[in-house]
């Protein structure tokens, strides 16, 4: 792996959850793997006034609590924290940014980090624009001395109009090459493995099209509710929070054509083409193609689970969706007529993200089977947890006759025992440090994704009669989502039972 140049990383929103739960532990992990440059500093920026010392203590505690691999030696975290600094700043204060500039120049000279800065916006989205404007006004985005890169968290905008506006504003201030729109799903090993699985093997690609595939299903289920993020989530909902970015990116990588090279733009061009080929959903078809739901209170294994409307900072009459399922088509040569089904939700029975490729049935019913159904193979790409790949196919049951049994051929990442799977943020932060934007969303991808969702957002805004179905926390969402799936007896794949059931199991 390439080693990054010496640099300073500035994290706006340093007192937030993202910084302590994900970013600082990820940088710590990069450091322990010797993937940080020789000279570097991390500056936490926030409105709260705290000392360097208090910030260091808070972050070294966060490393102990949230690192994916247990940190047994507390001294490692404490000595890492010596490279951390805190700078109090109100994001709307242009003068404050001039002070930040002097502070960074002085630190950069003192540490010998060569004027390379990365600015990470881990703030509420409403601050992205003002921070970018103030950085630019202070001259902090000029690349005369070193590189200047901006990492922007999702959601990038609220809808097509605001997404376009934010892109336009950023482009007035900095070049597209300096912008890294982060979608942490692209940092997941298994999401990247989609590219390798599809394009490093000769046997999948010939089958990867409308001739052999009946339908594709993508599920991203979470068992947790909105936790402490009710305020943000209530103005966002599952469509903006998960579909616009994570789910559509997975659709892009599953459906794209082979890129001509591994160049960032070659890959992103192919994902963009998929987004451009998404068949627009007409506003009048939204009730038939999109099902939304909201979790209600229930009892999960004897414990009371709060309904969404009673979560902290959520409006008691909120119609925000915590579940969404969509059926759509991709209008191109490869996928014409193949339905894609995607769904995501909070407070579902388990945490699982998987892509299920349902192959077409055999053309002829040759063997006896108990169900009387024709055979249909499934390839399941498990993104998380228990990352792996599973192929389901039929075998002869030992004994007389030709009875058929469906069996699994499976690969688990954990079987690569000596290989550590890096966290998504580690991978993505390292990529920004070395200037590789392959796994970041480009302006046109984000805009095209919003464009696809626009009729859904409009239909929901205009027609309050489009139902928000309640579903008890711990179940698989509204049953109406099954109506989306075309074909007799076909349903979503349910990798485990409802949480409310006595036994919880999760089968890959
Ligand atoms: C985030 C969403 O982008 O992804 C959260 O804002 C969601 O609402 C999270 O919980 C899920 O990420 P992961 O990696 O746990 O699947």
């Amino acid at each position: 792996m390439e080693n990054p140049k010496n640099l300073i990383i500035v994290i706006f929103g340093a007192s937030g959850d993202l910084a302590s739960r994900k970013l600082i532990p990820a940088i710590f992990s990069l450091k322990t793997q010797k993937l940080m440059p020789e000279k570097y500093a991390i500056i936490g920026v926030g409105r709260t006034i705290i000392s360097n010392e208090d910030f260091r203590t808070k972050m070294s505690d966060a490393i102990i609590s949230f690192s994916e691999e247990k940190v047994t030696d507390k001294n490692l975290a404490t000595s890492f924290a010596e490279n951390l600094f805190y700078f109090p700043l109100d994001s709307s204060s242009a003068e404050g940014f001039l002070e930040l500039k002097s502070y960074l120049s002085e630190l950069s000279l003192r540490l010998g980090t060569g004027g390379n800065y990365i600015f990470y916006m881990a703030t509420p989205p409403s601050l992205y624009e003002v921070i970018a404007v103030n950085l630019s006004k202070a001259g902090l985005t000029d690349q005369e001395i070193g590189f200047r890169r901006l990492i922007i968290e999702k959601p990038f905008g609220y809808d097509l109009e605001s997404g376009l506006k934010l892109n336009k504003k950023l482009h007035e201030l900095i070049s597209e090459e300096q912008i890294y729109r982060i979608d942490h799903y692209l940092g997941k090993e298994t999401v990247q493995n989609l590219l390798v699985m599809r394009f490093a093997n000769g046997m999948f690609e010939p089958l990867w099209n409308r001739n052999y595939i009946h339908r594709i299903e993508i599920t991203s289920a979470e068992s947790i509710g909105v936790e402490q993020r009710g305020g943000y989530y209530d103005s966002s909902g599952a469509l903006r929070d998960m579909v616009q970015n994570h789910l559509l990116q997975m659709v892009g990588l599953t459906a794209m054509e082979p890129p001509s090279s591994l160049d960032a733009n070659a890959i992103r061009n192919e994902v963009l083409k998929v987004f451009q080929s998404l068949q627009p959903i007409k506003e009048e078809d939204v009730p038939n193609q999109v099902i939304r739901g909201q979790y209600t209170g229930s009892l999960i294994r004897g414990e009371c689970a709060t309904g969404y409307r009673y979560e902290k900072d959520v409006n008691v009459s909120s119609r925000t969706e915590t579940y969404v399922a969509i059926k759509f088509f991709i209008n191109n040569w490869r996928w014409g007529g193949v339905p894609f089904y995607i769904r995501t939700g909070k407070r579902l029975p388990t945490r699982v993200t998987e892509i299920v490729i349902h192959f077409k049935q055999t053309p002829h019913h040759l063997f006896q089977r108990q169900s009387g159904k024709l055979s249909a193979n499934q390839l399941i790409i498990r993104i998380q947890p228990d990352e792996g790949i599973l192929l389901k196919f039929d075998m002869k049951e030992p004994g007389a006759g030709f009875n058929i049994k469906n069996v699994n051929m499976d690969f688990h990442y954990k079987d690569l025992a000596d290989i550590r799977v890096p966290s998504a943020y580690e991978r993505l932060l390292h990529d920004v440090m070395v200037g590789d934007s392959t796994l970041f969303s480009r302006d046109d991808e984000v805009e095209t994704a919003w464009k696809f969702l626009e009729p859904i957002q409009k239909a929901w805004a205009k027609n309050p009669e489009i139902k928000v179905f309640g579903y008890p926390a711990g179940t698989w969402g509204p049953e109406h989502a099954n109506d989306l799936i075309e074909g007799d007896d076909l349903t979503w794949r349910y990798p485990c039972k409802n949480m409310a059931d006595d036994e919880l199991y999760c089968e890959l």
Side-chain angles (χ1 to χ4, degrees), residues 154 184-185 188 222 229 241-242 246 346 351 384:
K154 56 152 274 279
H184 79 278
Y185 266 56
K188 292 184 191 275
E222 290 183 273
R229 298 165 72 227
D241 187 50
M242 293 290 290
H246 309 327
K346 294 217 180 268
R351 174 173 183 255
Q384 64 187 21

Side-chain angles (χ1 to χ4, degrees), residues 183-283:
D183 179 327
H184 79 278
Y185 266 56
L186 292 179
K188 292 184 191 275
E189 272 296 316
T190 33
V191 173
Q192 292 156 40
N193 190 45
L194 269 169
L195 287 175
V196 179
M197 198 197 88
R198 287 191 57 199
F199 305 128
N201 295 297
M203 68 180 184
F204 296 118
E205 224 18 53
L207 306 179
W208 213 261
N209 57 52
R210 64 191 303 278
N211 297 323
Y212 298 97
I213 292 179
H214 179 261
R215 65 187 190 282
I216 291 185
E217 192 184 317
I218 302 182
T219 293
S220 188
E222 290 183 273
S223 53
I224 52 168
V226 290
E227 304 201 296
Q228 303 309 312
R229 298 165 72 227
Y232 149 74
Y233 196 87
D234 209 32
S235 60
S236 168
L239 193 73
R240 294 185 179 95
D241 187 50
M242 293 290 290
V243 177
Q244 193 273 344
N245 31 72
H246 309 327
L247 271 89
L248 286 182
Q249 283 292 342
M250 286 192 280
V251 169
L253 294 176
T254 307
M256 71 194 254
E257 295 301 317
S260 54
S261 72
L262 284 183
D263 173 71
N265 276 330
I267 294 179
R268 297 189 299 181
N269 286 345
E270 296 307 331
V271 171
L272 175 67
K273 282 189 216 159
V274 173
F275 290 178
Q276 288 168 333
S277 313
L278 293 169
Q279 182 175 299
I281 298 177
K282 296 196 193 103
E283 276 185 47

